[in-house]
Amino acid sequence: MPRAVTLIRSAALSDVAEYAYAATAPAEARLVFLAGACPLEKDGSTAAVGDYAGQAAKCVENLRTALAAAGADLGDVISTRVLVASTRRPDLVAAWQVVRDAFGEHDVPSTLMGVTVLGYHDQLVEIEAVAAVLDD
């Protein structure tokens, strides 16, 4: 199935970032705006309490589920925002590495940011995403 997302890179920008700096989708693509994927179990409890990487993994799992419900997968994602409730760079990096590994070669434009607090009890990580899909 053809993909709608085209990742854009620029030789004029640093290659240190582990993601493309921009992405496009054609006019005929259906955009899917996803609520922040949280580290919640089906019963509403918070997964992996105190574990940034564990919560990031649960967020990715829940993101995959939401994407599938919209007829998409990680390869259709056009951008992400990863929110981490911490002021410590190692905590942000721990969460980011899980997300980065999940996306693999599809290194979409992303923003990683430390925030003061997230919405659920014991929540440390949340992943927002936008996807673009070409329907048959």
Side-chain angles (χ1 to χ4, degrees):
M1 180 169 103
R3 297 280 185 187
V5 178
T6 300
L7 301 178
I8 299 168
R9 301 174 198 295
S10 172
L13 296 170
S14 170
D15 64 356
V16 172
E18 296 180 318
Y19 47 80
Y21 280 99
T24 63
E28 65 270 18
R30 175 173 52 91
L31 296 180
V32 181
F33 297 90
L34 294 112
C38 299
L40 298 179
E41 300 290 357
K42 189 167 179 159
D43 67 4
S45 64
T46 302
V49 173
D51 179 358
Y52 289 91
Q55 286 200 7
K58 184 62 178 177
C59 289
V60 170
E61 178 185 327
N62 289 342
L63 180 64
R64 287 179 191 270
T65 300
L67 284 163
D73 62 33
L74 290 180
D76 297 309
V77 171
I78 196 166
S79 69
T80 68
R81 182 178 301 138
V82 181
L83 310 172
V84 181
S86 179
T87 59
R88 292 177 13 91
R89 189 175 315 272
D91 298 336
L92 275 70
V93 170
W96 171 251
Q97 195 58 57
V98 171
V99 175
R100 178 70 186 90
D101 289 350
F103 277 87
E105 297 277 324
H106 187 63
D107 56 347
V108 300
S110 297
T111 299
L112 173 64
M113 69 176 70
V115 299
T116 304
V117 67
L118 291 166
Y120 293 100
H121 187 68
D122 293 322
Q123 182 182 0
L124 300 173
V125 180
E126 187 164 334
I127 304 169
E128 296 177 13
V130 177
V133 179
L134 293 173
D135 292 316
D136 297 332

